[in-house]
């Protein structure tokens, strides 16, 4: 067996551990799930599980890091773009796609908030939200506009989860969530923009905050 094959098998086993653990965490709760139960569900020994993860919190952190790597890359992309409304709308469009893969973890974190607050992943999640807010929020934004940005993130995180059982196809529900989030960002962006000289600043009539049809260039 060559080194490439070994790495592939280790990667496959690692993913199996992550998926099995997250399923058990979601079904039973994080605190009520043990490493022994995860090993039994995988049909491996506890020692074999230790080869990949020394503690169940390590499994959770690895999930967070793997599923959120595309989001980290997206934040870095946004920081290189002009701080325009178009950039923010494109950011939300791309963010909604990245959230699809992270949905199981977000659902777990929502349902196990008390446990998450006591773990390192809680601090990691706060840092991630801060980075997202830095992208979406205008410098010196008013409190109402900061609330709009927070509300846009909450809409993105919870909208798709809470609409899972609602009527309608996935694409329609996804688009509805994205539309509401981009409208909130558009309101915050226009309210925070300085007024033009000689004119009283107001939000442009009919602003809908719809995301751009074509992606911005990198």
């Amino acid at each position: 067996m060559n080194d490439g094959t070994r790495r592939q098998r280790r990667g496959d086993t690692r993913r199996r551990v992550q998926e099995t653990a997250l399923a058990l965490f979601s079904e039973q709760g994080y605190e009520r799930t043990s490493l022994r139960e995860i090993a039994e569900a995988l049909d491996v020994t506890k020692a074999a599980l230790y080869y990949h993860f020394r503690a169940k919190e390590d499994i959770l952190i690895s999930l967070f890091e793997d599923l959120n790597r595309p989001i980290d890359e997206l934040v870095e992309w946004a920081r290189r773009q002009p701080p325009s409304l178009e950039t923010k709308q494109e950011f939300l469009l791309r963010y909604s796609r990245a959230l699809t893969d992270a949905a199981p973890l977000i659902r777990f974190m929502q349902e196990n908030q008390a446990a998450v607050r006591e773990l390192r992943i809680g601090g990691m999640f706060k840092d991630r939200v801060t980075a997202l807010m830095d992208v979406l929020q205008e410098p010196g934004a008013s409190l109402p506009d900061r609330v709009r940005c927070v509300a846009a993130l909450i809409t993105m995180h919870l909208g798709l989860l809470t609409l899972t059982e609602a009527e309608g196809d996935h694409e329609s529900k996804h688009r509805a969530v994205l539309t509401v989030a981009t409208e909130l960002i558009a309101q915050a962006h226009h309210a925070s923009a300085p007024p033009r000289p000689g004119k009283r600043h107001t939000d442009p009539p009919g602003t809908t905050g719809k995301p751009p049809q074509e992606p911005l260039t990198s």
Side-chain angles (χ1 to χ4, degrees):
M1 185 185 299
N2 59 39
D3 290 343
T5 301
R6 290 193 184 94
R7 285 194 296 270
Q8 178 66 38
R9 289 193 174 182
R10 282 198 296 269
D12 292 343
T13 301
R14 186 174 183 271
R15 282 190 292 274
R16 285 183 59 225
V17 173
Q18 290 175 324
E19 292 169 359
T20 301
L22 184 57
L24 288 172
F25 292 159
S26 300
E27 179 183 344
Q28 303 177 173
Y30 176 82
E31 295 175 334
R32 291 189 295 274
T33 302
S34 66
L35 279 177
R36 177 184 57 79
E37 290 175 301
I38 297 172
E40 289 176 352
L42 289 163
D43 196 24
V44 300
T45 65
K46 196 173 178 180
L49 184 58
Y50 274 174
Y51 178 80
H52 297 278
F53 300 101
R54 300 294 298 177
K56 61 181 183 179
E57 183 177 2
D58 294 337
I59 303 175
L60 201 55
I61 289 174
S62 73
L63 270 165
F64 184 88
E65 291 175 341
D66 288 355
L67 293 175
N68 283 277
R69 190 168 294 115
I71 298 176
D72 290 335
E73 295 172 355
L74 178 57
V75 169
E76 290 305 312
W77 168 85
R79 288 171 174 166
R80 298 193 300 269
Q81 308 306 314
S84 64
L85 175 59
E86 288 73 19
T87 294
K88 294 175 172 59
Q89 291 173 329
E90 177 66 19
F91 175 83
L92 285 179
L93 178 61
R94 298 187 184 195
Y95 185 52
S96 69
R97 295 168 181 164
L99 281 178
T100 300
D101 291 335
L105 180 61
I106 293 174
R107 182 179 292 107
F108 158 78
M109 294 180 67
Q110 174 66 19
E111 295 173 350
N112 294 266
Q113 295 183 45
V116 168
R117 278 196 296 268
E118 303 300 321
L119 301 173
R120 280 180 292 162
I121 192 175
M124 295 168 68
F125 184 73
K126 287 181 180 179
D127 291 342
R128 177 64 42 71
V129 171
T130 298
L132 295 172
M133 288 295 292
D134 286 344
V135 170
L136 295 174
Q137 190 172 274
E138 292 290 295
S142 66
L143 183 56
D145 288 336
R146 284 152 54 192
V147 171
R148 289 185 179 101
C149 292
V150 171
L153 281 182
I154 292 174
T155 298
M156 297 292 290
H157 288 174
L158 299 183
L160 295 178
L161 300 182
T162 56
L163 289 177
T164 300
E165 303 301 325
E167 293 184 4
D169 61 275
H170 174 77
E171 181 60 29
S172 296
K173 291 184 283 189
H174 177 273
R175 195 67 186 175
V177 169
L178 183 59
T179 296
V180 172
T182 52
E183 285 177 350
L184 286 165
I185 292 301
Q187 291 170 18
H189 181 88
H190 288 304
S192 299
R196 295 180 180 178
K199 291 187 177 181
R200 181 181 177 182
H201 176 67
T202 59
D203 287 352
T207 297
T208 61
K210 292 182 180 179
Q213 297 300 313
E214 298 294 331
L216 300 178
T217 56
S218 299

